[in-house]
Amino acid sequence: MSSTTSIPAVIDALVNLFREAPGLGADGVQVIDGQPAEAMDPDLIVVGYSPVRPTTEITQTRQNLAATRDQETYDLVCLASAERGDPDMRAVRTRVADLVDAMNTALMADRRLGGACLHAQMSVAVWEQAQTESGPAVTAEVLVSITAMTSR
């Protein structure tokens, strides 16, 4: 089977991984594939979406003269978010840190995402805190750095 990019398989694998992970979907945290389309739970993981930047930008490099395989690298944007109705920013900040840690623990257990890529690792790119009309909200923009092979 040929594939010009690993992105669809990687997104599917991350959504499934986070939905089944302890501390995340397995414990009731809502895990969304792409841009949320409706009101969300107070604790939320979003895979493959950012309101301020492209979901990913890919770099592909030819791996052989026959051009049958390319190596691709990219950072896939994910979000970890929490909101609370009380004024305690610290509690919300701690909750988001726990969500990010659970994402990283799940990813470290399967760096190849079930074969969807060669290697995946996570870093926090942006951390935002705000007081909203409904109370404190914290969002961490997480980048999952992917190295994968495509085939043609």
Side-chain angles (χ1 to χ4, degrees), residues 10-20 24-26 28-50 55 76-81 99 103 142 144:
V10 165
I11 290 174
D12 289 348
L14 282 171
V15 168
N16 290 334
L17 180 71
F18 295 153
R19 283 183 177 161
E20 296 171 4
L24 298 174
V29 174
Q30 189 172 17
V31 178
I32 303 295
D33 182 352
Q35 181 178 3
E38 57 190 49
M40 299 293 114
D41 290 345
D43 295 344
L44 177 67
I45 302 296
V46 179
V47 177
Y49 171 73
S50 169
T55 299
L76 181 70
V77 178
C78 299
L79 304 173
S81 182
L99 293 173
M103 292 169 72
V142 173
V144 179

Side-chain angles (χ1 to χ4, degrees), residues 63-91:
Q63 294 301 299
N64 59 39
L65 293 175
T68 58
R69 293 180 61 87
D70 294 338
Q71 180 177 350
E72 66 180 356
T73 57
Y74 53 90
D75 291 334
L76 181 70
V77 178
C78 299
L79 304 173
S81 182
E83 295 182 13
R84 297 291 183 271
D86 62 61
D88 186 5
M89 181 66 76
R90 183 174 189 268

